[in-house]
Amino acid sequence: MGAPKPCFCLCLCLSIIIFFLPLVSSSHHLPGNPANEIVAIINKNRTAAKLGALNDSPGLGCMALQYVELCKDNCAATNGSVNCNPPEDDFTEVFGPNCGVELPTFGTITGHIVGCSQSKRYIADPEAAFSEVLVRDGRSLSVVRNRSHKGVGVGLFGVHKGPFFWCVLFGDGETNSTFMLEERGQGIKQKKGCFSGSAFACNSSNLIRSLGLWLLSLLLCLVLHILRG
């Protein structure tokens, strides 16, 4: 068996580059889980106002992601507001069950903030997303600093070639007894977006996309190799 031809070796190298390039570029735009960073910023804002930090609730976070997925077609391009108000029953009948929130542990949603933007820079800059997308006025700030909140969860969702959405849900109750996820949330793997308290990175779908591109490029290289003899 002869040595591989230079053309095939070049194709193989290019296919490897194609596999890793989306992962490198996506990690620049989506560093880990930006939803967790929004929670940290909210607690920093509250403690600066001498208010208690909130519990990071994966149950609230997952429902926040469900919320923005439902509202993905309702972003106002002019001011970044989200014109979408799901019925309150959706939390217990749709969002909660989809996330695996145990019904007996379902507490009270004490507030929420929703925002959207066409700019990708807010994904890489959670501080700017907090101050320029989510909390742009006194009304939103008063929601963040409400004394009745005990827990918080953040959902983040991006539409392909479209806007990015953020949702912050606040709730009452303690971490170990309210908005509890079945099997501690181990069975939940979001296909798009991310939510705070989750162990999964926001860009997990990029690995699948990269693998598909790599297999396609490798297949094309093999076809070219066979045709060239």
Side-chain angles (χ1 to χ4, degrees):
M1 182 180 294
K5 294 185 178 181
C7 179
F8 178 73
C9 292
L10 178 60
C11 283
L12 185 60
C13 290
L14 288 175
S15 67
I16 293 173
I17 293 173
I18 288 173
F19 175 74
F20 283 105
L21 185 59
L23 297 180
V24 173
S25 62
S26 65
S27 64
H28 174 72
H29 294 294
L30 297 174
N33 189 339
N36 286 334
E37 297 182 54
I38 295 291
V39 169
I41 294 168
I42 288 172
N43 279 330
K44 180 181 177 181
N45 185 281
R46 285 178 61 89
T47 54
K50 298 183 179 180
L51 297 169
L54 303 176
N55 298 315
D56 186 357
S57 169
L60 285 172
C62 183
M63 289 193 294
L65 175 58
Q66 295 280 318
Y67 190 112
V68 287
E69 281 195 79
L70 181 67
C71 298
K72 63 184 179 181
D73 297 322
N74 295 275
C75 180
T78 54
N79 60 5
S81 62
V82 180
N83 302 314
C84 179
N85 295 291
E88 288 188 13
D89 289 345
D90 279 5
F91 286 98
T92 54
E93 297 178 5
V94 181
F95 303 155
N98 285 349
C99 290
V101 176
E102 298 176 0
L103 188 58
T105 70
F106 211 97
T108 301
I109 304 295
T110 53
H112 73 280
I113 304 172
V114 187
C116 63
S117 175
Q118 295 282 349
S119 176
K120 292 182 179 180
R121 78 177 182 89
Y122 291 116
I123 301 297
D125 189 353
E127 288 275 2
F130 175 78
S131 60
E132 298 175 22
V133 178
L134 288 167
V135 184
R136 296 178 297 175
D137 52 37
R139 180 178 176 276
S140 299
L141 183 60
S142 67
V143 174
V144 171
R145 295 181 176 179
N146 191 309
R147 294 179 181 273
S148 64
H149 303 328
K150 298 295 182 182
V152 62
V154 177
L156 171 60
F157 181 82
V159 179
H160 181 61
K161 294 184 178 180
F164 290 90
F165 292 81
W166 290 259
C167 176
V168 183
L169 289 183
F170 299 94
D172 63 356
E174 302 299 328
T175 302
N176 296 328
S177 60
T178 311
F179 301 107
M180 295 294 294
L181 296 176
E182 295 175 359
E183 299 180 359
R184 297 182 180 180
Q186 294 302 311
I188 299 173
K189 293 184 180 180
Q190 72 277 10
K191 296 180 180 179
K192 297 180 181 179
C194 54
F195 61 91
S196 58
S198 170
F200 301 102
C202 205
N203 57 343
S204 57
S205 62
N206 287 322
L207 179 59
I208 298 174
R209 183 166 61 251
S210 299
L211 181 59
L213 289 172
W214 177 71
L215 290 173
L216 179 60
S217 62
L218 185 58
L219 178 61
L220 290 174
C221 286
L222 289 172
V223 171
L224 287 174
H225 178 64
I226 293 172
L227 292 176
R228 292 175 66 91

